Amino acid sequence: MWFVSKKPPPIRSLVGEGMVVRGELRFVEGLRIDGEIDGDVIATGEGRSILVISEKARVTGKVMASHVIINGEVHGPIQSDELLELQPRARITGDIRYETLEMHPGAVVDGELRSLKSTDKPALKLAASNDA
């Protein structure tokens, strides 16, 4: 075998279409969201995790998991420790931190994209005042 592929964790939880959750949502292994979340969505526990936000879903809050697939709407910061997949109908408003990014044509991001590998901080340059 030339390469070893990591098998994704199973998706064991579902927020169904038409369902609205208010407050922080924590999960282990895998979660699929087809409904609406008004609060943070955070993978917990040891090991890998996968989060799928479908084209019908809307999340308002922070999103954190190792593998994140988005085809819906997210208003808030996103952190993906392994792979972030932005599908064609993804609509993101917020800053994104990722290890590896896969962005399909049609996905829209209104925020800063920054690799977790990047240790450089953006340089801040101030213009000198000419008030003499």
Side-chain angles (χ1 to χ4, degrees):
M1 184 183 313
W2 293 99
F3 63 92
V4 176
S5 177
K6 294 180 183 177
K7 184 177 179 185
I11 295 178
R12 299 187 188 276
S13 302
L14 170 68
V15 174
E17 188 177 352
M19 188 173 180
V20 178
V21 176
R22 303 212 188 283
E24 184 177 83
L25 183 61
R26 292 185 174 265
F27 68 97
V28 294
E29 293 186 328
L31 169 66
R32 178 182 171 95
I33 300 172
D34 290 329
E36 182 178 331
I37 307 291
D38 187 5
D40 298 343
V41 180
I42 300 172
T44 60
E46 301 295 321
R48 302 176 63 220
S49 59
I50 186 167
L51 172 62
V52 178
I53 300 174
S54 80
E55 66 183 64
K56 301 170 187 174
R58 178 185 173 112
V59 175
T60 303
K62 177 172 37 175
V63 171
M64 294 178 70
S66 51
H67 185 173
V68 180
I69 302 168
I70 301 173
N71 203 21
E73 201 172 321
V74 176
H75 296 274
I78 299 168
Q79 180 170 321
S80 175
D81 297 329
E82 287 182 14
L83 174 62
L84 173 63
E85 296 180 47
L86 299 179
Q87 301 289 324
R89 294 187 182 199
R91 300 290 179 263
I92 313 297
T93 303
D95 294 341
I96 297 174
R97 300 290 312 263
Y98 60 90
E99 179 72 21
T100 304
L101 174 65
E102 181 180 310
M103 187 169 177
H104 294 253
V108 176
V109 176
D110 183 6
E112 179 183 60
L113 292 165
R114 177 169 283 182
S115 170
L116 289 171
K117 299 172 191 172
S118 171
T119 58
D120 299 334
K121 294 187 178 185
L124 177 62
K125 295 183 182 182
L126 301 175
S129 176
N130 291 333
D131 297 337

